[in-house]
Amino acid sequence: MVERVQVKGLKELQARMLTLSADMQKRLATRATGAGASVIRKRAKQLAPIADEPYTIEGVRVEPGNIPKNIVSKKLPKSQTDLTSEHIVTVRGKAKHGYASRVGALQEFGTVNHPPQPFLRPAFDQEKGFAVAAIKQRLADGIDRVAKGGKP
C-alpha cells in the first residue's frame, strides 16, 4: 500500500529550489525525503513488537528484537519511481536478517490464529506531520547553505 502526502503552501520554498541546479535539487530532495523517512523509521522501531524468546524460521535462529533491528528506510532507485526522490520505511527480509519482513508482515496484518499488531502504519499515521516538518526544515537549511556557497 502506498500513501502519498502532499503539502501545500510551500511556494516560497519551491521558488528558492528552482534557483538551484537540477543536480543540487535532486541532492536536496534526496536528503529531505530521507530526513522524513528517518522520523517514521524511528517511531516504527519503538512500536514494533518484540518476541518474548528466540524462535526458528527455516533453520535460522531469530533473537528477540529482530523486527525493530531490521526496520530501515531506503531510497527507491529511479527505475522504481517517477518522483525526484522517494524513500520507503520497510523491514528487511533475507535469511541473514532472520526473515524479519515475513514476521513483520504477520505482525502487521495478523493471521488466522494471531490478531494484527500493526506498527508500520501507526508509525506513519503518528509521525507524518513531524516527517513533513523535517522535510521542510532540511530543504530550507540546504537551500540556505547552498546559497552561501556551501554543500547541501
Side-chain angles (χ1 to χ4, degrees):
M1 178 169 59
V2 174
E3 180 162 336
R4 294 177 189 227
V5 176
Q6 188 172 23
V7 181
K8 299 183 188 246
L10 299 176
K11 289 187 180 193
E12 292 174 4
L13 194 55
Q14 179 185 16
R16 290 174 62 199
M17 276 287 280
L18 293 175
T19 65
L20 304 176
S21 69
D23 179 58
M24 194 59 67
Q25 288 178 28
K26 288 178 187 175
R27 290 171 62 187
L28 277 174
T30 298
R31 290 185 176 156
T33 57
S38 179
V39 169
I40 293 169
R41 183 190 75 229
K42 181 178 178 182
R43 184 68 177 142
K45 286 183 173 201
Q46 293 170 347
L47 295 175
I50 298 175
D52 295 332
E53 54 189 53
Y55 53 92
T56 303
I57 298 178
E58 294 187 21
V60 176
R61 181 179 167 89
V62 180
E63 296 296 324
N66 190 51
I67 294 174
K69 183 173 82 172
N70 285 295
I71 296 174
V72 296
S73 63
K74 64 182 193 177
K75 184 182 183 302
L76 290 181
K78 195 63 181 162
S79 62
Q80 293 181 11
T81 182
D82 58 346
L83 302 175
T84 303
S85 176
E86 183 175 358
H87 278 75
I88 62 169
V89 177
T90 189
V91 182
R92 289 189 283 216
K94 295 182 180 176
K96 68 181 180 180
H97 303 120
Y99 299 109
S101 66
R102 291 183 190 181
V103 179
L106 296 174
Q107 293 291 338
E108 187 80 12
F109 301 108
T111 67
V112 172
N113 298 316
H114 180 74
Q117 294 178 313
F119 58 97
L120 288 172
R121 182 59 195 217
F124 175 78
D125 290 340
Q126 293 171 16
E127 300 297 318
K128 64 185 170 189
F130 295 110
V132 169
I135 291 169
K136 288 167 58 175
Q137 189 63 51
R138 182 65 58 100
L139 285 173
D141 292 347
I143 292 169
D144 289 343
R145 277 195 297 279
V146 171
K148 293 177 184 173
K151 294 182 179 182

